[in-house]
């Protein structure tokens, strides 16, 4: 194992939580509404179909990385096709992870301003988010993996809270299944692409994995955990809201909390969102490290902390001059969805086909 990878190994459990954490983020807040608009209350079937597709894509990525057990995808590309190919792959991955990072941070800033700190400037909120991000990401994937593992453990109480509104729910909203046939369900699968982005982190994290023989089972487990989270919260919203009512809420996952009442707290959604910021961080903290890892590889550096500092400062300065509106965030989401469809689904299939042809020609 190369020096850059040694001493930073992550366990299979940390690997699972890293991949699932990148996927389950801000996107879950509006997912039930988007599925209801596209597929109605049959949208939960779209989640299962999307899980099958994303799991297949993840297994393809693992199969690709078996050709480079001691190096990342840029290392493999540089060894097989030359340094220019390695740099091109590193640049592509760095750009993609930077998109994920920026999208996760800007959406978190927007939600924080709406629900928690409406009078605080966006760049101040961004700086408050970037300080702990740098402190965690600068230590490498092992610490990032431990952080993801910790956050998952301390968030195990969240599903219990969402069971409370079930006493006011109507399960008849889900019946009959396939009300309008398969076409709306299959159309709703496209809404699962954006919440499932992050699988290509395997291209970088695979050489850090301590037990690489468990990588296939780990990606299946991470996608299953993501699917279970989406399926749980979507079904809760579908049975609580009527089919027409759910489309009126931009973030039904937050709005449903208003129905929960405790004697010792008036608005449970406010402290819940403050706590859920830690879940949001599972998107941008790993993405921050992955971006700087690829950029450092691009410039031939083994220490990514310098690039990490530059990226944090540049992000804070950019937020001072420009903060995306809700409409602009939607445009960014559409661009990221198209970018992710190409790099997470199409690119691995083409790359696996190239590897098969290359290996066959080499044997000949």
């Amino acid at each position: 194992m190369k020096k850059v990878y040694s001493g930073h190994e992550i366990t299979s459990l940390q690997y699972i939580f890293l991949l699932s954490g990148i996927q389950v983020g801000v996107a879950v807040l509006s997912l039930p509404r988007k599925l209801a608009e596209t597929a109605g209350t049959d949208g939960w079937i779209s989640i299962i179909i999307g899980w099958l597709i994303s799991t297949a894509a993840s297994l393809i990525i693992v199969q690709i990385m078996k050709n480079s057990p001691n190096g990342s995808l840029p290392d493999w590309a540089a060894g097989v096709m030359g340094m220019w190919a390695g740099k091109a792959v590193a640049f592509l991955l760095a750009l993609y992870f930077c998109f994920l990072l920026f999208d996760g941070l800007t959406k978190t800033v927007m939600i924080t301003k709406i629900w928690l700190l409406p009078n605080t400037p966006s760049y101040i909120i961004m700086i408050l988010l970037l300080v702990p991000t740098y402190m965690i990401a600068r230590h490498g994937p092992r610490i990032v993996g431990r952080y993801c593992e910790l956050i998952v453990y301390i968030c195990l109480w969240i599903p219990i809270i969402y069971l409370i509104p079930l006493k006011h729910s109507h399960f008849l909203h889900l019946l009959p299944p396939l009300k309008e046939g398969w076409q709306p369900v299959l159309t709703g699968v496209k809404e699962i692409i954006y919440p499932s982005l992050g699988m290509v982190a395997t291209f970088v994290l695979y050489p850090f994995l301590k037990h690489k023989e468990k990588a296939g089972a780990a990606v299946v487990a991470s996608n299953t955990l993501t699917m279970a989270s989406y399926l749980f919260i979507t079904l809760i919203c579908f049975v609580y809201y009527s089919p027409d009512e759910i489309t009126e809420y931009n973030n039904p996952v937050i709005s449903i909390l208003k129905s929960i009442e405790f004697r010792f707290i008036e608005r449970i959604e406010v402290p819940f969102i403050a706590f859920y910021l830690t879940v949001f961080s599972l998107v941008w903290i790993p993405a921050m490290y992955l971006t700087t890892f690829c950029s450092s590889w691009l410039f031939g550096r083994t220490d990514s902390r310098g690039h990490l500092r530059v990226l944090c400062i540049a992000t804070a300065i950019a937020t001072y001059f420009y903060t995306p509106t809700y409409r602009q965030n939607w445009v960014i989401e559409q661009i990221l969805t198209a970018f992710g469809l190409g790099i997470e689904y199409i690119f691995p299939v083409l790359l696996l086909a190239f590897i098969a042809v290359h290996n066959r020609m080499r044997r000949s």
Side-chain angles (χ1 to χ4, degrees), residues 181-202:
W182 282 100
Q183 183 177 358
V185 173
L186 297 177
T187 304
V189 174
K190 65 181 179 62
E191 302 295 344
I192 307 299
I193 296 177
Y194 173 69
S196 299
L197 298 181
M199 299 178 297
V200 290
T202 300

Side-chain angles (χ1 to χ4, degrees), residues 211 222 271 291 293 350:
H211 301 289
S222 67
T291 301
F293 175 90
L350 297 178

Side-chain angles (χ1 to χ4, degrees), residues 42-350:
D42 292 327
W44 63 273
I45 305 177
S46 302
I47 296 178
I48 298 177
I49 298 175
W51 166 72
L52 294 173
I53 297 174
S54 62
T55 301
S58 298
L59 291 174
I60 290 175
I61 294 174
V62 171
Q63 191 64 32
I64 292 171
M65 292 309 299
K66 288 181 179 180
N67 295 273
S68 180
N70 297 320
S72 60
L73 185 64
D75 292 314
W76 175 85
V80 174
M81 294 177 286
M83 184 56 67
W84 64 270
K87 289 185 177 294
V89 171
F91 174 77
L92 183 65
L93 290 177
L95 182 63
Y96 179 67
F97 290 131
C98 189
F99 258 105
L100 283 176
L101 161 71
F102 183 75
D103 178 70
L105 278 172
T106 52
K107 278 186 168 59
T108 303
V109 169
M110 181 179 64
I111 292 173
T112 305
K113 279 187 64 67
I114 292 174
W115 292 91
L116 300 178
L117 302 171
N119 297 323
T120 305
S122 297
Y123 71 93
I124 297 295
I125 300 176
M126 181 66 75
I127 292 174
L128 294 176
L129 297 176
L130 288 174
V131 171
T133 299
Y134 172 77
M135 295 177 65
I136 296 172
R138 69 190 181 98
H139 292 291
R142 173 180 288 183
I143 301 302
V144 175
R146 289 177 178 175
Y147 173 77
C148 293
E149 189 175 9
L150 174 65
I151 295 302
V152 170
Y153 289 149
I154 65 177
C155 291
L156 292 177
W157 61 271
I158 292 180
I160 300 176
I161 296 297
Y162 277 100
L163 292 176
I164 298 177
L166 285 180
K167 60 184 178 180
H168 303 296
S169 61
H170 302 278
F171 288 88
L172 291 177
H173 293 163
L174 301 176
L175 299 176
L178 299 176
K179 305 174 188 59
E180 300 179 8
W182 282 100
Q183 183 177 358
V185 173
L186 297 177
T187 304
V189 174
K190 65 181 179 62
E191 302 295 344
I192 307 299
I193 296 177
Y194 173 69
S196 299
L197 298 181
M199 299 178 297
V200 290
T202 300
F203 282 144
V204 176
L205 296 176
Y206 186 83
F208 295 104
L209 187 59
K210 185 179 296 184
H211 301 289
K212 295 179 177 59
E213 68 278 4
K214 299 180 180 179
V219 296
V220 173
S222 67
N223 280 280
T224 303
L225 180 61
T226 302
M227 183 272 295
S229 302
Y230 291 156
L231 194 61
F232 173 79
I233 196 62
T234 299
L235 288 174
I236 293 291
C237 291
F238 280 178
V239 299
Y240 180 79
Y241 295 109
S242 68
D244 296 326
E245 184 185 11
I246 190 174
T247 59
E248 299 176 0
Y249 296 95
N250 183 44
N251 295 316
V253 176
I254 296 178
S255 300
I256 197 175
L257 294 173
K258 294 181 179 180
S259 64
I260 302 174
E261 297 180 358
F262 293 110
R263 293 182 179 180
F264 55 88
I265 188 170
E266 183 177 355
R267 295 182 60 191
I268 189 176
E269 68 271 15
V270 174
F272 177 85
I273 295 173
F275 183 85
Y276 203 70
L277 292 180
T278 59
V279 180
F280 296 161
S281 69
L282 299 185
V283 179
W284 74 72
I285 292 181
M288 178 79 75
Y289 170 76
L290 294 170
T291 301
T292 55
F293 175 90
C294 294
S295 65
S296 299
W297 196 101
L298 184 63
F299 291 96
R301 300 177 64 89
T302 57
D303 190 354
S304 61
R305 286 177 292 183
H307 286 219
L308 184 62
R309 287 190 288 268
V310 172
L311 182 58
C312 290
I313 295 173
T315 303
I317 294 175
T319 307
Y320 179 79
F321 292 102
Y322 169 71
T323 302
T325 61
Y326 178 81
R327 173 67 181 178
Q328 292 168 338
N329 265 297
W330 181 84
V331 173
I332 294 174
E333 179 180 323
Q334 299 305 306
I335 296 174
L336 184 58
T337 300
F339 194 4
L341 179 63
I343 199 171
E344 301 218 17
Y345 294 90
I346 300 175
F347 176 67
V349 173
L350 297 178

